Amino acid sequence: MKIIYPGSFDPITYGHLDIIERISKKFNKVYVAILNNKNKNSLFTIEERKKIILDSCKHLNNVEVVSFSGLLADFAKELDCNLIARGLREVSDYEKEVQMALMNKELYSDLETLFLVSNYKYSFLSSSLVKEIISFGGDIDKFVSPMAVQMMKEKYSE
Ligand code: COA
């Protein structure tokens, strides 16, 4: 069985990786799907985000990194996959996630969303916070991979 784990991944954090590792044990195939959102001001290009994800997931042989623009429901149909994985960090994620799951089901009735409770170690983590910390010279080694740290340092020194 296949599953899609969608997100912005700008960049992927150890919180995302924890979810990917857990679903890769339960499913034959995991699509990590990067949203190409032109409205969001991203630090990394899709290619750069893909490079960091591939490096972080190199120990997982059933993970494929893909990108999409437009509706997730349409992309799921394209992949012939009717299951989405989402991590729930805190209560505040719940409302938004339930709304998205219901809307996705409205758009594609066979599409289900599987929620995984995020690892408590990363329940406070987000890509924006990591970017904010490094932009002020803080240490982010505990939150993202060495490749992501290096590439973020390069971006912020430009
Ligand atoms: N650990 C750590 N951080 C996590 C995390 C985890 N397990 N899960 C989520 N996050 C963080 C992300 O880092 C991100 O942080 P940021 O906002 O600081 O960048 C934040 O939570 C949002 O998570 P993300 O998973 O990237 O979601 P998103 O809101 O950017 O994107 C999509 C969600 C891609 C699933 C959704 O926007 C989508 O499907 N878009 C396509 C258009 C569409 O179909 N719209 C209709 C939807 S019903």
Side-chain angles (χ1 to χ4, degrees), residues 8 13 15-16 40 70-72 86 89 96 125-128:
S8 305
T13 67
H16 295 122
K40 213 167 171 179
L71 291 176
L72 178 59
R86 295 290 289 167
R89 289 165 299 171
K96 180 188 147 212
L125 190 54
S126 79
S127 304
S128 306

Side-chain angles (χ1 to χ4, degrees), residues 16-96:
H16 295 122
L17 187 59
D18 175 66
I19 301 279
I20 297 169
E21 285 173 342
R22 286 159 60 195
I23 54 179
S24 84
K25 284 187 201 149
K26 309 277 182 202
F27 294 88
N28 301 330
K29 174 103 185 174
V30 176
Y31 292 105
V32 176
I34 312 169
L35 172 66
N36 192 356
N37 187 349
K38 295 187 176 80
N39 298 327
K40 213 167 171 179
N41 225 343
S42 307
L43 178 65
F44 290 114
T45 64
I46 293 290
E47 280 315 308
E48 288 166 333
R49 281 181 261 171
K50 190 170 179 178
K51 184 175 164 186
I52 301 169
I53 299 170
L54 284 172
D55 179 65
S56 301
C57 296
K58 56 179 183 259
H59 57 300
L60 305 169
N61 58 17
N62 57 347
V63 171
E64 188 177 332
V65 186
V66 289
S67 62
F68 73 105
S69 44
L71 291 176
L72 178 59
D74 290 340
F75 188 59
K77 279 185 199 161
E78 237 176 77
L79 290 176
D80 191 26
C81 182
N82 57 11
L83 194 58
I84 296 170
R86 295 290 289 167
L88 287 179
R89 289 165 299 171
E90 292 164 336
V91 187
S92 52
D93 280 344
Y94 178 83
E95 244 177 86
K96 180 188 147 212

